[in-house]
Amino acid sequence: MKSVRHGGIDCDVHPALPGMAALLPYLDPYWQEQVTVRGIDGLDLSSFPTQMDAHGRADWREAGHKPGSSLELLRRDALDGFGSQLAICNPLYGVLAIYNEHFAAAVARAMNDWITAEWLDREPRLRASITVAAQNAEHAVDEIERRAGDQRFVQVLLLSQDDVPLGNRRYWPIYAAAARHGLTIGVHAGSTYRHAITSNGWPSYYLEDYAAHAQGFQSNLLSLVHEGVFAKFPSLKVVFIESGFTWLPTFMWRANKTWRGVRAEVPWVDRPPSDIIRDHVRFTLQPTDAPPTGADMERVLNQIGSDDMLLFSTDYPHWQFDGDNVWPAGFSDTLKQRVLVDNPRNAYPRLKEALS
Amino acid sequence: MTPDDGRILVAEAPANASRSKLKLIDCDVHHALRSSKDLYPYLATRWHDHIAQFGRRRPVPFLASSPYPKTAPALSRTDSWPPNGGPPGSDLAFLQEQLLDRYNIEYGMLHLLTSGMDERNQDLGNALCCAINDWQYEHWTQKDKRLKAAIVVPGEDAVAAVKEIERWAGNPDFCQISIVTHSIEPLGRRRYWPIYEAAEAHNLPIGLHSSGTNGHAVTSAGWCSYYVEEQHNVALSQQNLAISLVCEGVFERFPALKAVIIEAGFVWVPAVCWRLDQHWARMRGEVPHLTRKPSEYFRSNLWYSSQPADEPENPQDLRQVIEWLGWDRLMFATDYPHWDMDNPEHVFKFRMTEAEQQQVFAGNARAVYGLA
Amino acid sequence: MARHIVADAGEIPPGGRKLVTIRGREIGVFNQNGDYFALLNRCPHQGAELCKGTLIGLATSTGPGNFELTRHGEMLKCPWHGWEYDIRTGQSWCDPNDIKARAYPVTVEHGATLVKGPFVAETFQVEIEQDYVVIEV
Ligand code: FES
């Protein structure tokens, strides 16, 4: 087990921004003053309440601090804890949900400066996603251009549920910039709550919101395929982060079936959606939403029909498993090795270059 | 608009007779109004004028088209337009010939895609539901005893819905209660509970056929562009609906309530259950009203119609999913006359034992709907 | 293999079709601007009467947002699930190698040749100076 695990690439860890105060040094004077005078703070996403046990494993917390806010702990529990050679930081602060697009762009920029100075510069095993203000693709593209020279940024981070599905052309300049710079698009579970979390309105419980991310990802997957994002950007890889993946086989069956009868509506989709998904879309390991037995998981993996699609992740500091049981039952040693190293390298062009 | 296939010359050919020995129960048959005028005999005159002047008010962009134009006229098989005119499903004799007789169907469970539930004018919505039920009774279930109707109720107005349930409960022509699935709030929310209370009291299952409009975007990430997406997203919303019924505690409060998910397929159920169970284990403090794992409610209170049945490359994968789902949960449906209908003779590309066939094609539905 | 006379050459107009039954098999005969094609009237997917489907063009694209329509009237869209079949070959568009409608060779022949036989013409009085549509089944 230990030997299989060592040297993996953890594709989803969450350094937490303690609060707006931590960004002040990285904001320009105008926004510093706005933030201070107006008391702007608390922009953590309500679709990921940081106080919940589920979003901070008890043994990975430090009293009085947001889970994930300490580099020391992340080093100890995520990097050393799982023997990972690299980990990709996905900060989940609520930049994408800010209504003022100019403020969002300023915060995105500060976030990227912050993660560079306080995480990447201090820990060589860390890589990061670029935080962008996708509210307006121009802001996002500016920010991607600003960071692209730093090879430690390997991905552009979006949320799974924003105001339009991710295949929409509104996002295409972002995809073009990502493709140009060998950056992957990471889509993390989460909602800006511009729309109800289900197409039937707002449920009562967080459990339902969290479960609903699976359907939200599936809607986005349909959108990415049918809008033709991968036809337009053939080198682009999209990583679904914290989406679960055991729904994938049955989703692909249905997508293929519908496409066969209706495909003339989107003639650029000239092969079955499952083929396109297998070529372009990747999924992080945690949470696995595993079936009851390892034998069942083997069947699901078999139905997925590709060993290339899963990427190792701990989802640190979120609580998806106990102890070091990051592997659900049903993964062979060969598959683990692929998930740990080969698949992440192939999903992130910049890691491939760095490691080759 | 009817499909234009040109004139087809036909040299005499034998009519297709049913090849099936098994008597089937079809859990999703669509009859249709020829026009809203069919309902006028059952509507107060005030509504005739109202409909003529103001029409229906539903939260949709177009006057007379679906928000996402379908892949075929009237959403239907192009060979299902009755020779005597009217839209597909509107002619009983043709429906009998093309569906009931052709496939040896013992019972067909009717689902009308028109409801008053998503009408914004609630008085009109209530009147429409009542009229629809009168019309279904007089023109369909009384004319062919194989056809069983669903009590169409204005579910956004639970008081009126319960009244309509009471009007028909006990009438053997009505076997379930129909509420549209695109409700204004998730259907597990309390405002709908009086309906479930009445359903449980009268031992009537709730039939949840993908339908209706509620003004919400069709995905939780907003509006998609294409019908090829929307058609699939409608099924995704049924997943959220099932999650809602379970997590909000409907089946704790009404343990004998049966709910049937219709026209959403079924292959998604196991993965939804796995996900819910896993996260419930960490968040159960939030939902102390759930005394069992979420998946257990899926196994005790929910059933699923088979259509559209998925077609994995390896047909055995479908058998595997049914094993996970439970053979007692799945109920065959054609969805006649809609374009994505399933033909009972070809729908499952793997072998079922006779006992399995018996369950899926008839037995499960017979038990759920209490059919003789 | 037997050759069956199924229509007078002028009977099926361009863009038209005729359903015939040959030894219990229903077959659709299509006239595509003078070229004739024949397909079994049975969709390999779920058994719909394929030859009653709509004749459409082939939609293709060079990339997102580009729409092209070629081969007008040469694709047969199944009346049920809308899968598209090439009337020239019976191949489905979505899975041309594995999903095919059964196709039969069709020729137009002169009555003078036909009377030399062998052929089957249950309902036809063959006239020497006429042309006929002939299917090999
Ligand atoms: S039966 Fe022809 S496409 Fe399904």
Side-chain angles (χ1 to χ4, degrees):
Chain A
M1 180 90 176
K2 281 264 185 287
S3 63
V4 163
R5 214 174 62 192
H6 190 77
I9 298 170
D10 186 341
C11 296
D12 187 29
V13 301
H14 298 290
L17 184 78
M20 284 303 285
L23 287 188
L24 282 177
Y26 308 104
L27 286 167
D28 70 31
Y30 171 81
W31 289 112
Q32 274 177 356
E33 189 164 291
Q34 283 284 307
V35 166
T36 319
V37 170
R38 294 168 65 185
I40 299 172
D41 200 7
L43 303 178
D44 295 285
L45 286 170
S46 70
S47 62
F48 272 83
T50 50
Q51 77 280 4
M52 282 182 63
D53 289 348
H55 299 319
R57 223 173 92 162
D59 55 337
W60 292 344
R61 276 177 185 271
E62 189 183 19
H65 298 277
K66 273 187 201 166
S69 56
S70 151
L71 175 61
E72 288 321 305
L73 290 194
L74 185 141
R75 257 187 203 131
R76 187 191 74 196
D77 295 326
L79 293 167
D80 300 342
F82 293 90
S84 297
Q85 57 170 318
L86 294 174
I88 301 172
C89 299
N90 293 318
L92 284 182
Y93 205 57
V95 176
L96 285 159
I98 296 170
Y99 294 101
N100 176 339
E101 65 176 71
H102 311 289
F103 180 46
V107 181
R109 186 173 179 166
M111 286 284 292
N112 293 322
D113 282 342
W114 167 78
I115 208 136
T116 305
E118 306 197 17
W119 297 79
L120 301 181
D121 287 352
R122 290 165 62 199
E123 173 51 65
R125 286 171 293 180
L126 291 181
R127 298 292 181 272
S129 291
I130 303 174
T131 297
V132 294
Q135 288 86 336
N136 180 334
E138 282 179 33
H139 295 310
V141 170
D142 285 352
E143 190 58 23
I144 292 167
E145 295 296 344
R146 193 174 290 124
R147 305 295 161 184
D150 184 342
Q151 294 295 317
R152 294 171 300 178
F153 285 103
V154 298
Q155 170 169 262
V156 176
L157 192 62
L158 300 174
L159 275 185
S160 60
Q161 286 149 103
D162 200 351
D163 50 1
V164 287
L166 289 171
N168 192 283
R169 284 177 187 240
R170 197 191 91 178
Y171 295 100
W172 285 23
I174 300 175
Y175 302 149
R180 199 159 58 235
H181 293 294
L183 290 157
T184 298
I185 296 291
V187 181
H188 197 282
S191 176
T192 56
Y193 288 148
R194 302 272 168 102
H195 297 283
I197 196 78
T198 85
S199 60
N200 297 333
W202 300 96
S204 308
Y205 304 109
Y206 182 74
L207 172 60
E208 296 174 78
D209 277 30
Y210 193 82
H213 287 314
Q215 287 73 38
F217 272 106
Q218 290 171 67
S219 298
N220 278 304
L221 197 42
L222 288 169
S223 174
L224 288 164
V225 168
H226 290 304
E227 298 274 3
V229 168
F230 302 116
K232 180 74 182 175
F233 306 107
S235 68
L236 195 68
K237 290 272 192 297
V238 171
V239 177
F240 278 10
I241 307 166
E242 226 174 312
S243 56
F245 59 85
T246 52
W247 49 260
L248 182 61
T250 56
F251 168 86
M252 293 196 294
W253 301 345
R254 177 67 193 263
N256 285 0
K257 177 167 171 135
T258 310
W259 169 80
R260 287 187 162 189
V262 187
R263 68 104 208 154
E265 187 187 25
V266 284
W268 46 86
V269 183
D270 56 5
R271 55 199 180 119
S274 61
D275 288 8
I276 297 171
I277 293 166
R278 287 188 182 116
D279 282 352
H280 291 278
V281 185
R282 302 291 176 258
F283 298 80
T284 62
L285 180 68
Q286 290 292 343
T288 52
D289 302 343
T293 71
D296 290 331
M297 179 60 98
E298 282 174 39
R299 290 194 188 99
V300 172
L301 293 169
N302 199 323
Q303 291 169 356
I304 287 176
S306 163
D307 285 346
D308 301 334
M309 298 179 78
L310 301 180
L311 311 181
F312 179 70
S313 75
T314 58
D315 194 19
Y316 173 89
H318 298 169
W319 175 31
Q320 305 289 9
F321 56 89
D322 292 310
D324 58 2
N325 292 318
V326 66
W327 292 105
F331 279 63
S332 68
D333 279 357
T334 327
L335 179 60
K336 285 180 188 171
Q337 194 56 40
R338 294 193 65 86
V339 172
L340 274 167
V341 182
D342 308 74
N343 294 349
R345 278 178 44 158
N346 294 328
Y348 294 99
R350 290 185 162 206
L351 292 187
K352 193 166 196 168
E353 277 165 31
L355 297 171
S356 58
Chain B
M1 190 175 63
T2 56
D4 179 19
D5 292 330
R7 199 162 65 88
I8 300 177
L9 305 171
V10 182
E12 79 287 5
N16 277 320
S18 172
R19 284 184 290 279
S20 171
K21 277 176 284 165
L22 190 67
K23 275 187 176 294
L24 313 179
I25 297 177
D26 179 348
C27 289
D28 188 16
V29 176
H30 293 290
H31 54 334
L33 295 159
R34 280 168 304 166
S35 85
S36 52
K37 291 211 169 68
D38 284 355
L39 297 178
Y40 281 15
Y42 314 101
L43 284 169
T45 328
R46 117 153 235 226
W47 295 122
H48 306 186
D49 300 339
H50 181 103
I51 292 170
Q53 180 63 39
F54 302 104
R56 298 279 314 266
R57 301 305 303 160
R58 301 192 313 146
V60 290
F62 305 123
L63 206 48
S65 163
S66 345
Y68 295 87
K70 310 291 184 188
T71 195
L75 174 69
S76 293
R77 284 167 48 167
T78 54
D79 61 358
S80 66
W81 291 75
N84 299 327
S90 65
D91 181 318
L92 175 61
F94 194 56
L95 183 142
Q96 287 165 331
E97 175 193 323
Q98 214 172 29
L99 178 71
L100 301 179
D101 301 339
R102 170 70 181 79
Y103 296 110
N104 199 15
I105 287 168
E106 183 180 5
Y107 292 111
M109 313 307 288
L110 293 173
H111 289 282
L112 193 73
L113 279 194
T114 308
S115 170
M117 177 162 163
D118 54 358
E119 166 61 50
R120 283 154 65 190
N121 177 327
Q122 285 201 323
D123 290 330
L124 174 57
N126 297 351
L128 282 171
C129 288
C130 297
I132 285 167
N133 292 327
D134 288 328
W135 170 80
Q136 301 194 90
Y137 181 70
E138 208 172 305
H139 290 274
W140 295 88
T141 62
Q142 279 295 297
K143 292 208 169 136
D144 189 324
K145 285 302 193 184
R146 289 172 291 186
L147 296 173
K148 297 289 180 189
I151 307 172
V152 172
V153 299
E156 304 296 354
D157 177 350
V159 174
V162 169
K163 216 167 120 195
E164 189 60 12
I165 294 168
E166 303 292 346
R167 193 158 78 91
W168 296 101
N171 183 322
D173 286 13
F174 288 82
C175 287
Q176 62 191 322
I177 294 161
S178 167
I179 38 190
V180 306
T181 53
H182 286 107
S183 47
I184 291 176
E185 290 189 33
L187 282 176
R189 296 265 296 170
R190 300 276 164 89
R191 60 185 300 197
Y192 304 106
W193 285 24
I195 302 170
Y196 306 140
E197 187 174 10
E200 190 190 42
H202 295 293
N203 195 24
L204 285 163
I206 300 283
L208 298 164
H209 186 287
S210 295
S211 58
T213 50
N214 55 16
H216 291 294
V218 295
T219 92
S220 52
W223 298 97
C224 59
S225 302
Y226 304 109
Y227 175 63
V228 66
E229 300 172 76
E230 190 246 8
Q231 211 251 2
H232 192 156
N233 274 306
V234 165
L236 294 174
S237 98
Q238 289 268 56
Q239 303 182 15
N240 294 125
L241 189 169
I243 292 169
S244 171
L245 291 174
V246 167
C247 291
E248 308 259 350
V250 169
F251 302 120
E252 274 295 326
R253 176 68 183 75
F254 308 107
L257 184 69
K258 303 173 204 168
V260 185
I261 305 276
I262 302 160
E263 198 166 354
F266 58 92
V267 297
W268 48 271
V269 177
V272 164
C273 289
W274 302 335
R275 182 169 177 89
L276 272 179
D277 282 358
Q278 174 157 338
H279 299 289
W280 167 80
R282 295 174 306 132
M283 301 177 193
R284 55 195 293 184
E286 189 197 23
V287 284
H289 51 275
L290 298 187
T291 59
R292 298 185 283 156
K293 283 196 290 196
S295 61
E296 293 184 21
Y297 301 96
F298 281 80
R299 284 301 291 262
S300 58
N301 296 82
L302 286 160
W303 283 263
Y304 316 92
S305 81
S306 58
Q307 182 273 340
D310 282 282
E311 302 168 69
E313 270 167 47
N314 175 2
Q316 291 302 324
D317 284 340
L318 204 57
R319 162 176 283 282
Q320 178 60 57
V321 168
I322 303 174
E323 302 281 345
W324 281 327
L325 182 78
W327 283 93
D328 59 335
R329 300 285 113 189
L330 183 62
M331 311 200 296
F332 174 74
T334 60
D335 189 32
Y336 175 89
H338 293 161
W339 74 270
D340 48 349
M341 64 149 288
D342 278 329
N343 176 350
E345 290 159 3
H346 297 287
V347 57
F348 298 113
K349 311 269 185 194
F350 65 91
R351 280 190 79 78
M352 286 187 191
T353 66
E354 244 174 67
E356 289 163 351
Q357 281 188 34
Q358 185 54 45
Q359 275 185 297
V360 171
F361 284 99
N364 294 337
R366 197 183 305 282
V368 168
Y369 292 117
L371 296 164
Chain C
M1 285 284 226
R3 303 192 317 142
H4 297 258
I5 301 177
V6 295
D8 287 339
E11 186 183 347
I12 309 173
R17 66 189 103 166
K18 179 180 181 183
L19 287 181
V20 299
T21 304
I22 297 174
R23 290 201 307 216
R25 250 175 285 194
E26 266 185 67
I27 293 173
V29 187
F30 298 85
N31 175 355
Q32 176 61 31
N33 298 327
D35 293 338
Y36 287 87
F37 305 98
L39 296 177
L40 186 66
N41 187 25
R42 188 185 152 71
C43 179
H45 176 223
Q46 285 201 11
E49 292 188 69
L50 178 61
C51 296
K52 293 186 178 171
T54 309
L55 286 166
I56 60 172
L58 178 66
T60 55
S61 169
T62 55
N66 170 268
F67 302 86
E68 284 169 16
L69 194 70
T70 56
R71 303 193 54 197
H72 302 278
E74 292 188 18
M75 302 301 288
L76 183 58
K77 189 172 161 71
C78 177
W80 290 5
H81 310 102
W83 295 11
E84 300 156 67
Y85 294 88
D86 187 332
I87 57 165
R88 292 173 180 269
T89 61
Q91 284 180 304
S92 66
W93 190 88
C94 63
D95 193 353
N97 295 326
D98 290 333
I99 300 171
K100 295 179 194 147
R102 179 77 194 268
Y104 301 92
V106 191
T107 48
V108 176
E109 292 184 36
H110 201 57
T113 336
L114 284 169
V115 287
K116 294 178 198 145
F119 66 91
V120 187
E122 285 117 2
T123 53
F124 284 85
Q125 191 67 49
V126 175
E127 316 234 347
I128 290 174
E129 59 283 4
Q130 277 254 22
D131 282 343
Y132 295 93
V133 181
V134 177
I135 306 188
E136 267 186 51
V137 175

